[in-house]
Amino acid sequence: MSARKLNPHTQRSHISSCKRLAAYVKRSPDTATADEIRLFQLHLTETGASICNRNRIVTGLRFLFRVTLRRLDLAAEIYHIKEPQKIPLVMSPDEAKRLSAMAGNLKVPVLLALGYGAGLRAGEAVRLSVGDIDRAQNIIRIVQAKGRKDRHVMLSPETLHLLRQWWKVRPARYDTGVPQEQRWLFPGRKPGKPMTTRQLNRLFHETADAAGIKKAATLHALRHSFATHLLERGTDIRIIQALLGHDKLDTTARYTRVATGMISAIESPLDLLCEPRRTPRKRGKASQPA
């Protein structure tokens, strides 16, 4: 896994999957049989594992048998379940405004602005450094994000204003000897580390409760809202694709299903069918003005 440069989180997930299989068969996973592999997958279903969690586990097992052990016969017994396609949960502009207004301290509205105003993921927002903010071009550089890809997103004047305010009060106790361009914008509790996404998620839910938002919104809903509201304002979908860092346009196109502003503006064929027929103008003399 290290040779293939898998993400540390992915490596931990794969190891956890192998431990789970070992606990089921009560011996080393490399001695498992095809029948045990099939029974283990049935066991996951019977114990109520979600489709997402089940697919995560079998992904780790497939890596074990296909790559590590070269047991292609066992890897062939592992299958994924197609996940149901769900419409992304989107917040309204009013809810996003209420969320920002109820933020407890300055750090929270800055992070919310990066999510809703630039479409950043939680991990991308907390790992921003000073050098990622390009004030000359009004862009934010996202370095080696999901899929090991770099991209640029817009830096709005409001976001820049919030970042400047935050920089004045930002804790700097761990910045001694660190060049300014390499300093974290949101330092964590451990020296030399940024704040964690868990801490950011906790702050988001506390703010959402204070704002009275009842829907089951998550921090990622800000990214969904960013894309949907841009689409409703007429932004080209390929530009949104580049801003979000999607490889496939199909991934971005799902926001057309939740762009309620665009959907409600579509004229129904029933309205056209029931539209009163205009009285045709009589030929001959032109109608005189009243």
Side-chain angles (χ1 to χ4, degrees), residues 21 32 40 45 51 74 94 99 108 125 144 199 235 247 259 270 274 281:
L21 176 62
F40 175 68
T45 303
I51 294 177
L74 295 181
D94 179 65
L99 196 66
V108 180
Q144 292 298 285
Q199 182 183 1
T235 306
D247 285 330
L270 181 62
C274 299
R281 181 179 295 181

Side-chain angles (χ1 to χ4, degrees), residues 74-88:
L74 295 181
E77 301 295 335
I78 299 173
Y79 56 91
H80 286 75
I81 297 178
K82 185 176 181 180
E83 297 187 34
Q85 295 184 358
K86 298 181 180 180
I87 295 178

Side-chain angles (χ1 to χ4, degrees), residues 180-201:
Q180 180 169 320
E181 294 295 307
Q182 299 176 13
R183 295 179 183 177
W184 300 113
L185 282 175
F186 306 99
R189 297 170 181 173
K190 295 182 180 180
K193 298 289 185 180
M195 71 178 294
T196 63
T197 54
R198 177 174 294 186
Q199 182 183 1
L200 176 54
N201 275 286

